[in-house]
Amino acid sequence: LKFLSFFWGPMPIMIWIAALVELIQCLSGRSQHWPDFGVLIGLQIINGTVGFFEEYNAGNAIAELKASLAPKANVKRDGKFQIIKAR
């Protein structure tokens, strides 16, 4: 369901409307509009797929950063330095 959300928004809606206009023209007998329709649908699929993978990779990067930046403290106890969790 998350993947489908990338086909909804201002830019994707404009592409859907343009594809719909091209489809209507194709179905009304103007066959020269089929390539335009195909390009618009292809653009929509590529746009949604790229957006999905970019967000997925960004989420993974944030999780890795949080894990690597775990709060630790360097403390001196009983005359010895130790590294412990800050929380």
Side-chain angles (χ1 to χ4, degrees), residues 42-61:
L43 177 68
Q44 189 74 306
I45 292 169
I46 291 169
N47 187 35
T49 303
V50 168
F52 174 77
F53 282 111
E54 281 184 351
E55 185 169 312
Y56 177 77
N57 289 335
N60 288 344

Side-chain angles (χ1 to χ4, degrees), residues 9-69:
M11 184 60 79
I13 288 174
M14 289 172 43
I15 296 172
W16 284 124
I17 291 171
L20 181 64
V21 168
E22 292 297 326
L23 180 63
I24 291 169
Q25 289 182 350
C26 291
L27 296 176
S28 68
R30 297 179 183 156
S31 62
Q32 71 268 20
H33 291 277
W34 282 112
D36 296 338
F37 174 73
V39 167
L40 288 168
I41 295 299
L43 177 68
Q44 189 74 306
I45 292 169
I46 291 169
N47 187 35
T49 303
V50 168
F52 174 77
F53 282 111
E54 281 184 351
E55 185 169 312
Y56 177 77
N57 289 335
N60 288 344
I62 290 172
E64 289 178 21
L65 280 173
K66 283 184 179 180
S68 71
L69 297 176

